[in-house]
Amino acid sequence: MSSPVFLQDIQLNTAPLIVDLDGTLIHTDMLHESALRVSRDRPLDVLRIPLWLLQGKAVLKSELASRSSFDASLLPYNESLLAWLKEERAAGRRIVLCTASDRSIAQAVADHLGVFDDVLASDGAVNLAGDNKADALAQHYGHGNFDYVGNSSADLKVWRRARKAIVVNGARGLAQKAAALCNVEREFPPQPRGFAAWRKVLRVHQWMKNLLLFVPLMAAHRIADIDGWLTLVLAFVSFSLCASTVYIANDLLDLESDRAHPRKRLRPFASGAVPAWQGVVLAPVLLAVSLALGAFVGGTFLPWLLFYFVLTCVYSWGLKRVILLDCITLAMLYTLRITAGAAALSMPLSFWLLAFSVFLFLSLAFVKRYAELKSQALSGKQKVHGRGYYTSDEPLVLNLGVTAGYASAVVLALYLNSEVVLELYERPEAVWGAVPVLIFWISWIWMQAHRGHMHDDPVVFAVKDRASQLAGLAFGAALVVGALGWPW
């Protein structure tokens, strides 16, 4: 039965505005995010999820919420909806947060935003969704005495009891279904998704790193080996799908760190452009296809692919939070691509190539971390979220990275003085031109990072950077002339 206060609000056309949380006020689902945080921080508790679920979804939500913490300020809020809610509250309207998420989560969101007069949520006993939510709201405010802001077909049961509907992020046809139950006051359209969002989910632009698989073939001067090229193309697809699996897992487990980053917060899962559950479903499918293709490649490629996958998982679950080990692991992951390429062709791998790769990629790993430190320092932060570094470590990381880069140039110079070069190159003296080019490029990359121009990933930056492109052409030209001789 409605109180006189609420009846007076109705008469003044200021019915309480009831707002859903998951998928409505925020572009994500807190149950999914709680499960992901528990799987990251307390993986053994994942085994208890089926037992909690058998006791009801309210129990599941309560248990997951109690075992994970989150920063309400970092959630991907629906800014247009939030701005409207603030206008309504400023006009004197009563705003209530009503969600199926656990009350501890709902209260944290309400405390952060400061726009809600009351909070209704699941309490460990009752899952406040569907019929339960509709009954609770009708009991609190009376049938037809409140307006409800929702986003899914599950909210139709609530709109049946409401005075007006505000449809947010609704699927096609949801507003029409709501209009059949009550008056639709307003619609907030969903975020555009499409191919661009999925391309970012898969990190297709990062697949260029897997071109390193072709390095052993070219280093052995087997350019005319058609079968080798076909094998490596298949290996490239397999490795790329495996890498995308890892990128998805990493993004799902690193949501809060990404949201605290000025650019990473725009990633599909962090921003809520793509629901987290879709990533959870897609990742194992990609991995299965990757392993099937890897088995078809033959040789010892599949064991190296599995090692790459395990190492990246270990990196995502913990090593990336350990200073120095994170960069060493990144360098190993780059080098593993070259190793896997050689394994696909069943060919031995040169000691010189491995040594050169380790130092070069260690330098690039430090560039990546240095760029993050620089960005966080400019934001006024003292510690990088989700990493073991302080922004005061910036000068040391720069020194370590430059040293590793120059070490790769020393390895290249020593290689050019070995007997192997005399066997592979017709004009070994021409190959020496690659050394100053490499020194220039390493210096250039670090100069750009120092000036704050570096993309989070130095490989992606190098592909787009004109000076890096010219350096790559000059480096390749020195190798070609050394192998084929002077053109005159």
Side-chain angles (χ1 to χ4, degrees):
M1 185 170 181
S2 304
S3 70
V5 174
F6 293 136
L7 291 176
Q8 183 179 8
D9 286 339
I10 296 299
Q11 293 168 2
L12 295 174
N13 198 34
T14 57
L17 188 59
I18 315 301
V19 185
D20 181 41
L21 177 65
D22 301 313
T24 303
L25 181 61
I26 57 176
H27 295 297
T28 187
D29 188 295
M30 293 307 296
L31 172 60
H32 300 158
E33 294 211 6
S34 297
L36 287 170
R37 283 193 295 273
V38 168
S39 68
R40 180 195 64 195
D41 301 332
R42 307 178 65 167
L44 292 180
D45 280 345
V46 173
L47 301 176
R48 305 174 68 178
I49 288 180
L51 299 177
W52 295 332
L53 186 57
L54 287 174
Q55 301 175 60
K57 291 191 70 174
V59 173
L60 172 65
K61 292 174 181 180
S62 177
E63 294 290 348
L64 289 175
S66 67
R67 286 167 169 76
S68 62
S69 60
F70 75 103
D71 187 345
S73 67
L74 297 178
L75 291 177
Y77 291 99
N78 188 326
E79 296 298 339
S80 58
L81 173 61
L82 186 57
W84 181 67
L85 293 178
K86 290 179 179 178
E87 292 176 0
E88 292 295 302
R89 191 169 194 270
R93 196 169 192 185
R94 182 178 177 83
I95 313 292
V96 178
L97 179 62
C98 184
T99 174
S101 287
D102 189 72
R103 183 171 184 85
S104 62
I105 292 175
Q107 193 62 56
V109 171
D111 291 343
H112 167 67
L113 295 178
V115 298
F116 296 105
D117 299 290
D118 197 4
V119 174
L120 301 175
S122 298
D123 57 5
V126 177
N127 182 42
L128 203 64
D131 287 326
N132 289 337
K133 180 182 286 191
D135 292 342
L137 290 175
Q139 182 178 355
H140 272 77
Y141 306 108
H143 186 95
N145 290 346
F146 62 90
D147 298 343
Y148 181 73
V149 186
N151 73 297
S152 72
S153 57
D155 294 317
L156 292 172
K157 295 178 181 180
V158 182
W159 281 321
R160 189 183 300 276
R161 308 279 193 95
R163 185 187 69 152
K164 292 183 180 179
I166 295 88
V167 181
V168 181
N169 298 330
R172 183 177 300 177
L174 181 62
Q176 288 80 358
K177 293 178 181 178
L181 303 173
C182 63
N183 180 35
V184 176
E185 178 181 349
R186 184 166 181 172
E187 285 188 64
F188 290 84
Q191 296 184 94
R193 198 178 300 175
F195 176 75
W198 286 107
R199 185 180 61 193
K200 292 178 181 178
V201 166
L202 298 176
R203 304 269 193 94
V204 174
H205 64 284
Q206 298 282 12
W207 289 3
M208 67 182 68
K209 296 177 184 178
N210 300 325
L211 293 174
L212 291 170
L213 290 162
F214 295 88
V215 169
L217 184 70
M218 294 184 286
H221 294 191
R222 291 170 53 180
I223 308 298
D225 185 353
I226 303 300
D227 290 338
W229 282 101
L230 293 176
T231 297
L232 289 179
V233 167
L234 189 60
F236 174 84
V237 176
S238 174
F239 222 89
S240 296
L241 294 179
C242 181
S244 291
T245 301
V246 175
Y247 288 136
I248 290 173
N250 184 65
D251 286 351
L252 291 174
L253 296 174
D254 216 19
L255 289 173
E256 286 202 333
S257 295
D258 285 351
R259 287 167 183 164
H261 193 278
R263 289 186 296 274
K264 292 181 181 180
R265 63 184 180 84
L266 300 177
R267 286 177 173 175
F269 294 124
S271 66
V274 176
W277 71 265
Q278 294 186 8
V280 173
V281 172
L282 179 61
V285 174
L286 292 178
L287 180 61
V289 176
S290 170
L291 295 179
L293 293 176
F296 192 75
V297 169
T300 56
F301 174 77
L302 184 58
W304 282 110
L305 178 67
L306 286 170
F307 180 55
Y308 168 83
F309 174 73
V310 171
L311 185 58
T312 49
C313 289
V314 173
Y315 172 79
S316 297
W317 256 274
L319 285 182
K320 70 179 180 181
R321 298 177 181 85
V322 182
I323 59 172
L324 302 181
L325 280 181
D326 61 333
C327 291
I328 293 173
T329 304
L330 283 176
M332 290 178 61
L333 291 174
Y334 276 109
T335 307
L336 273 175
R337 292 170 165 89
I338 297 177
T339 306
L345 299 173
S346 299
M347 61 182 292
L349 198 58
S350 164
F351 161 80
W352 293 105
L353 181 57
L354 278 177
F356 170 76
S357 301
V358 167
F359 283 113
L360 179 61
F361 296 135
L362 181 59
S363 180
L364 295 181
F366 277 122
V367 167
K368 178 181 176 67
R369 199 60 72 230
Y370 177 82
E372 290 182 354
L373 289 173
K374 190 134 186 108
S375 174
Q376 297 293 324
L378 292 174
S379 301
K381 297 182 180 178
Q382 295 183 341
K383 194 175 188 300
V384 180
H385 192 283
R387 300 289 187 269
Y389 294 88
Y390 293 91
T391 52
S392 58
D393 295 328
E394 183 184 319
L396 178 59
V397 171
L398 184 147
N399 289 332
L400 292 173
V402 172
T403 301
Y406 284 169
S408 69
V410 172
V411 171
L412 178 60
L414 292 174
Y415 165 71
L416 297 179
N417 197 39
S418 67
E419 295 182 358
V420 179
V421 174
L422 298 177
E423 298 175 2
L424 290 176
Y425 294 94
E426 183 177 340
R427 295 287 183 180
E429 66 275 11
V431 186
W432 274 93
V435 176
V437 172
L438 178 63
I439 293 175
F440 162 79
W441 182 70
I442 292 169
S443 304
W444 173 259
I445 284 290
W446 276 102
M447 182 68 74
Q448 299 308 302
H450 182 66
R451 292 179 175 179
H453 300 160
M454 177 58 58
H455 188 278
D456 289 330
D457 194 308
V459 174
V460 176
F461 173 86
V463 171
K464 298 178 180 180
D465 177 57
R466 180 59 59 86
S468 298
Q469 294 169 353
L470 294 175
L473 289 174
F475 189 91
L479 297 181
V480 171
V481 171
L484 304 179
W486 303 104
W488 52 81

